[in-house]
C-alpha cells in the first residue's frame, strides 16, 4: 500500500502569522498599532502652532510675566547728566557779567594805582598827574575787564561748539553758554573803549592863562 502525500499550496497569507514568523523566538509579536505609535514618537514632538500673534505656548506652560508686554527696545533713552557742561555754561555767563560790571579785584587794582600816583605826585616825582591819578587806574580796570570778557568768549564758544549738535545736552545749558558768549563779546567792546578812551577823553589840566 503506497502512501501518497498531497501538498496543499497556501495561496492566502495571514498578516498576523507573518508577523509571528518574523518575531524573535521566545517573544510575542508586537501589534501593528503599537508599532505605529512608536513611529509617531520617533518622529519628534509636534511644532507649536504659529498664529498671527506669535507662537502659541506649549501645553502646561504658564506665562511668568503677568504685567503688560513691554518691547525689549523700548528701554528709556540714556541721557547725559551734563553737570560739567552746565557748570561751564554758568561760569561763562559769570565771566561775561564781570567784564561789564567789574570785580572787586579790579577795584582793588584801581585803588592801588591811584595810591601809587598820589605818592609819586606828593614826593615831587615828575610825570603827568592826570596820567597818574586817572589814566593808569582807568586803563588797569579796563584791561582786567577785557581779560574776563575773553574768558567768557572762550568758555562759551567752546561749549557751544562741542554741545550744539548733541541731542543729550539740555537746552538750558546751551542757552546759558550763548548768554555768556554774548556778554563776553559786549564786555570786550566796552573794555576796548575804556582802554583807548573812546567813550570819554582823559581830563586835562587847565593852562596857566585860563
Amino acid at each position: 500500500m503506497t502512501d501518497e502525500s498531497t501538498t496543499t499550496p497556501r495561496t492566502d497569507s495571514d498578516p498576523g502569522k507573518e508577523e509571528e514568523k518574523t518575531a524573535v523566538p521566545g517573544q510575542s509579536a508586537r501589534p501593528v498599532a503599537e508599532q505605529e505609535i512608536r513611529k509617531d514618537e520617533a518622529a519628534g514632538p509636534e511644532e507649536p502652532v504659529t498664529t498671527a500673534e506669535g507662537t502659541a505656548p506649549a501645553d502646561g506652560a504658564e506665562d511668568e510675566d503677568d504685567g503688560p508686554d513691554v518691547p525689549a527696545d523700548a528701554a528709556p533713552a540714556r541721557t547725559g547728566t551734563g553737570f560739567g557742561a552746565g557748570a561751564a555754561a554758568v561760569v561763562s555767563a559769570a565771566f561775561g557779567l564781570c567784564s561789564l560790571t567789574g570785580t572787586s579785584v579790579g577795584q582793588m587794582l584801581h585803588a592801588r594805582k591811584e595810591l601809587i600816583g598820589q605818592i609819586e605826585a606828593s614826593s615831587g616825582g615828575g610825570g603827568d598827574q592826570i596820567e597818574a591819578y586817572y589814566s593808569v587806574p582807568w586803563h588797569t580796570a579796563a584791561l582786567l575787564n577785557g581779560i574776563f570778557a575773553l574768558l567768557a568768549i572762550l568758555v562759551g564758544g567752546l561749549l557751544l561748539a562741542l554741545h550744539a549738535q548733541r541731542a543729550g545736552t539740555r537746552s538750558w545749558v546751551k542757552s546759558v553758554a550763548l548768554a555768556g558768549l554774548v556778554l563776553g563779546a559786549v564786555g570786550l567792546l566796552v573794555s576796548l573803549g575804556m582802554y583807548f578812551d573812546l567813550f570819554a577823553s582823559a581830563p586835562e589840566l587847565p593852562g596857566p592863562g585860563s
Side-chain angles (χ1 to χ4, degrees):
M1 184 177 180
T2 304
D3 295 329
E4 296 179 358
S5 60
T6 61
T7 302
T8 305
R10 297 182 60 181
T11 58
D12 52 346
S13 58
D14 191 359
K17 292 182 180 181
E18 289 180 1
E19 292 293 331
E20 291 179 359
K21 289 180 181 179
T22 58
V24 180
Q27 296 181 357
S28 61
R30 296 178 180 177
V32 180
E34 184 178 355
Q35 292 181 2
E36 294 295 335
I37 293 175
R38 291 188 177 275
K39 288 180 180 179
D40 295 338
E41 293 178 353
E46 295 181 356
E47 297 182 355
V49 180
T50 303
T51 61
E53 297 179 355
T55 303
D59 295 339
E62 295 180 359
D63 190 7
E64 297 179 357
D65 188 9
D66 295 336
D69 296 333
V70 178
D73 56 350
R78 184 180 180 182
T79 57
T81 53
F83 287 152
V90 173
V91 169
S92 174
F95 282 160
L97 187 62
C98 290
S99 66
L100 289 174
T101 60
T103 61
S104 59
V105 178
Q107 293 176 359
M108 291 172 59
L109 290 177
H110 187 277
R112 183 175 181 274
K113 291 295 182 180
E114 280 187 346
L115 181 60
I116 292 175
Q118 292 175 4
I119 293 174
E120 290 179 354
S122 62
S123 62
D128 190 358
Q129 295 182 355
I130 299 298
E131 181 73 17
Y133 287 169
Y134 173 80
S135 296
V136 174
W138 181 262
H139 293 165
T140 302
L143 183 62
L144 185 61
N145 291 343
I147 293 175
F148 278 106
L150 287 176
L151 290 176
I153 293 173
L154 290 177
V155 176
L158 182 61
L159 192 62
L160 286 178
L162 293 177
H163 295 273
Q165 302 299 330
R166 292 186 181 181
T169 305
R170 299 182 183 275
S171 59
W172 69 268
V173 175
K174 301 176 183 179
S175 301
V176 175
L178 181 59
L181 179 62
V182 173
L183 288 175
V186 175
L188 182 61
L189 293 177
V190 173
S191 300
L192 290 175
M194 290 173 59
Y195 190 83
F196 292 104
D197 297 328
L198 299 179
F199 303 125
S201 59
E204 299 178 357
L205 291 176
S210 58

